[in-house]
Amino acid sequence: MLGDRLGESSGRFTSIRVLPSEGHRVWLEVSFQGRGTLLGQEITDTGTYRQTFHPGGVLHGEGHVLMLSKDGDVADWVGGGVGRQTGPGYQASFGVWGSHPTATGRLSRLAEVADVIEYEVEEDGSYHWPMWAWTGAGLPSIPRQEAPSGAMA
């Protein structure tokens, strides 16, 4: 079930590399960096993904992103996606899924849910993504942190 909106980020590609072919598949490696918010915290996101091209302009990819808050909290994201070229250059639109195997501090709740992302890339390599929690039908969208015993909620 699609749950709460977790955050969003915008940024730019910082490098693009053509990787060695695997069989008949050509792979691109894209690194990027941006800024946004995640669970209300300002973050910098830095990551790398690789994508391959399929007939009809379909793109398949997998990636790894490190999200750092200004307070030093860390969220480590891994996932994959399927997309399509939508125009010239790098312009594309992806449906992405993933999770945070490691998340600390105020971002720690991210380790308890999967997420879905709409990842939009412009011709010049700029990007924007909003992220939502993705849970089972009977689960809360994102677990709420409970106040320590004796504390006022």
Side-chain angles (χ1 to χ4, degrees), residues 3-118:
D4 294 340
R5 187 169 171 151
L6 302 176
E8 66 182 309
S9 185
S10 297
R12 300 190 65 75
F13 292 176
T14 56
S15 71
I16 300 170
R17 249 177 15 129
V18 177
L19 298 175
S21 296
E22 295 177 9
H24 295 289
R25 296 235 166 101
V26 175
W27 289 87
L28 274 185
E29 178 185 80
V30 177
S31 293
F32 59 90
Q33 185 171 17
R35 293 188 180 278
T37 60
L38 199 54
L39 294 182
Q41 304 300 306
E42 291 181 23
I43 60 153
T44 298
D45 63 320
T46 303
T48 300
Y49 65 87
R50 68 182 202 140
Q51 70 184 31
T52 189
F53 301 84
H54 291 263
V58 176
L59 307 167
H60 285 229
E62 55 197 35
H64 191 182
V65 182
L66 181 63
M67 301 165 181
L68 303 169
S69 79
K70 65 180 184 173
D71 295 329
D73 298 332
V74 175
D76 175 32
W77 182 92
V78 293
V82 177
R84 180 173 298 280
Q85 293 174 289
T86 57
Y90 300 109
Q91 194 170 5
S93 180
F94 293 86
V96 178
W97 62 90
S99 65
H100 296 85
T102 304
T104 65
R106 287 188 241 170
L107 301 177
S108 64
R109 294 179 292 155
L110 294 169
E112 300 178 34
V113 295
D115 58 67
V116 291
I117 297 168
E118 293 175 353

